[in-house]
């Protein structure tokens, strides 16, 4: 995919270590300190058809019932709800629980906030410190006015939202 090639070239030009793999077959080597995740948003976005929004209870059940412990269970969840992109929203939790990460930073469209909150509960039960909430992109120097749901977590101490570096956009 050409867009993916451009993203890879940008990371290579910045000399950033990048692993190119399929999330369904990926096996972390335990060397990364953090996990940044932004799974596909199409099924949860209000701009899309909404299959992820309609399957929100199933996704939350997948967390409760421990589907996150096994990628095959997550794939099955994707089949159950009719779109594996919906199940991909839970892969960051799978990797967080099975990897040796020290910190996490996950981003998604606002409708995923209940998923991030449920993931934070699981992480806290395992000793993590976690924060979930909404951030406005323009307050952090991003040239757009999107609102996004975030989950930030650390094994080493309390976490909270980053301090904004810019003001909110006001249309008036």
């Amino acid at each position: 995919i050409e867009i993916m090639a451009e993203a890879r070239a940008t990371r290579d030009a910045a000399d950033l270590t990048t692993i190119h793999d399929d999330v369904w077959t990926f096996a972390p080597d335990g060397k990364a300190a953090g996990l940044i995740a932004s799974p596909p948003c199409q099924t949860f976005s209000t701009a899309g058809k909404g299959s992820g929004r309609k399957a929100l209870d199933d996704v939350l059940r997948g967390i409760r019932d421990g589907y996150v412990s096994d990628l095959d269970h997550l794939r099955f969840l994707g089949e159950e709800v009719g779109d594996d992109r919906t199940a991909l929203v839970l892969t960051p939790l799978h990797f967080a629980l099975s990897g040796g990460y020290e910190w996490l930073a996950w981003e998604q469209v606002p409708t995923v906030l209940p998923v991030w909150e449920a993931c934070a509960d699981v992480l806290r039960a395992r000793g993590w410190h976690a924060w979930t909430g909404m951030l406005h992109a323009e307050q952090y120097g991003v040239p757009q006015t999107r609102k996004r749901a975030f989950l930030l977590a650390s094994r080493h101490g309390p976490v909270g939202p980053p301090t904004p570096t810019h003001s909110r956009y006001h249309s008036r």
Side-chain angles (χ1 to χ4, degrees):
I1 300 174
E2 191 170 319
I3 293 172
M4 184 61 78
E6 291 171 356
R8 289 179 181 179
T10 300
R11 293 190 58 79
D12 290 344
D15 199 29
L16 297 170
T17 302
T18 305
I19 298 168
H20 310 287
D21 204 338
D22 182 333
V23 71
W24 296 118
T25 59
F26 179 61
D29 61 11
K31 293 180 182 176
L35 172 63
I36 298 172
S38 183
C41 67
Q42 294 94 334
T43 67
F44 292 97
S45 172
T46 55
K49 294 181 180 178
S51 61
R53 293 189 313 275
K54 293 172 190 162
L56 189 57
D57 288 338
D58 293 317
V59 171
L60 294 172
R61 178 180 47 83
I63 296 170
R64 268 192 326 273
D65 293 352
Y67 279 41
V68 295
S69 65
D70 182 82
L71 287 176
D72 288 333
H73 282 106
L74 287 180
R75 284 191 106 153
F76 175 72
L77 176 63
E79 291 171 13
E80 273 188 322
V81 301
D83 193 325
D84 65 351
R85 293 174 302 172
T86 298
L88 285 171
V89 76
L90 296 181
T91 57
L93 183 57
H94 167 79
F95 289 113
L97 297 177
S98 61
Y101 301 106
E102 297 174 29
W103 57 266
L104 310 170
W106 304 346
E107 172 270 346
Q108 250 293 355
V109 294
T111 52
V112 172
L113 186 60
V115 176
W116 284 170
E117 290 169 342
C119 289
D121 289 342
V122 170
L123 292 166
R124 287 184 196 106
R126 302 223 180 165
W128 286 80
H129 302 270
W131 172 86
T132 59
M134 296 292 191
L135 298 177
H136 297 267
E138 76 271 14
Q139 289 187 278
Y140 300 93
V142 179
Q144 56 186 237
T145 56
R146 293 183 178 189
K147 183 166 64 169
R148 289 290 181 258
F150 276 82
L151 179 149
L152 305 175
S154 171
R155 290 188 184 271
H156 304 293
V159 293
T163 303
T165 57
H166 294 68
S167 67
R168 288 280 311 274
Y169 172 76
H170 301 285
S171 61
R172 292 184 181 182

